């Protein structure tokens, strides 16, 4: 079974802190994704990566950065956390290739981040 | 990008079939149709996907209209465990692995 794990289920940080959210997958997937989920807004893509050291902006990248130094690990960084970044953060991974749009994404359990 | 429209919520009785509709009137000829669901307190999970023909797997069936402007996810015999938010998503066929999730349909199963 594919496993996507996230470093924390719950996290509380203060405004202005630097926050690292870690995601690890164990299926040698090329693609990795970070989403945030807010009530009434569904899931929104923040960043994704299709290879080590490669990254692409999603729909809402402002206030976030990412790092992918190893294939299995994709980190989301909040340089200076703000209260409007309080949200559920979900990581996902998938295969890449010519048939990539038909490959399913596997999601982690999510990290509920509260910024006070 | 083509968008999807789903009802905000639906209810169904346990052990009865459930038909979850999705409209995607601006779908392009090569867009895939995906369905994911999200159980309470979990990340989304893949249910099924298709391109033109109807599809069946162990979880559900996907019925795609002939003009591809709509599709229906069919749960043949709903259980309480099927209570979740169901997302209908389109993805481009080539060079784009991104999925754009909407707000989905919240399915409630009545015992």
């Amino acid at each position: 079974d594919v496993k996507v794990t996230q470093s924390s289920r719950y996290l509380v940080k203060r405004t202005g802190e630097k926050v690292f959210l870690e995601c690890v997958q164990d299926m040698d997937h090329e693609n990795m994704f970070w989403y945030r989920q807010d009530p009434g807004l569904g899931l929104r893509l923040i960043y994704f990566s299709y290879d080590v050291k490669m990254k692409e902006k999603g729909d809402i990248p402002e206030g976030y950065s990412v790092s992918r130094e190893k294939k299995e690990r994709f980190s989301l960084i909040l340089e200076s956390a703000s209260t409007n970044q309080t949200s559920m953060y979900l990581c996902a991974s998938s295969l890449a290739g010519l048939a990539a749009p038909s490959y399913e994404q596997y999601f982690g359990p999510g990290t509920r981040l509260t910024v006070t | 990008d083509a968008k999807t429209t789903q009802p905000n919520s639906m209810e169904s009785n346990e052990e009865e079939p459930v038909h979850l509709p999705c409209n995607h009137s601006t779908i392009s000829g090569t867009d895939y149709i995906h369905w994911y669901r999200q159980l309470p307190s979990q990340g989304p999970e893949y249910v099924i996907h298709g391109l033109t023909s109807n599809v069946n797997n162990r979880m559900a069936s996907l019925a795609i209209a002939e003009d591809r402007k709509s599709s229906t996810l069919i749960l043949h015999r709903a259980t309480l465990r099927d209570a979740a938010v169901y997302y209908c998503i389109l993805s481009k066929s080539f060079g784009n692995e991104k999925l754009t999730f909407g707000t989905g349909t919240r399915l409630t199963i009545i015992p």
Side-chain angles (χ1 to χ4, degrees), chain B residues 1-16:
Chain B
D1 286 350
K3 293 195 173 186
T4 62
T5 304
Q6 300 177 253
N8 288 333
S9 62
M10 289 183 63
E11 287 186 350
S12 181
N13 294 320
E14 193 178 9
E15 298 186 6
E16 290 188 359

Side-chain angles (χ1 to χ4, degrees), chain A residues 9 31 33 35 37 40-43 45 48 59 90 98 100-105 107-109, chain B residues 32 34 36 38 41-44 46 49 87 91-94 96-103:
Chain A
R9 287 302 301 267
N31 297 327
F33 307 83
Y35 296 85
Q37 184 171 29
L41 296 176
L43 276 81
L45 182 64
F48 71 102
D59 299 317
L90 291 154
L98 289 178
S102 67
Y103 292 145
E104 59 187 280
Q105 289 189 13
F107 282 81
Chain B
Y32 283 88
H34 301 256
Y36 282 71
Q38 188 171 19
S41 302
Q42 294 187 27
Y46 167 84
H49 78 274
Y87 298 96
S91 71
K92 299 249 176 251
S93 285
F94 300 106
N96 191 335
E97 298 86 348
K98 292 196 297 182
L99 298 178
T100 300
F101 286 73
T103 52

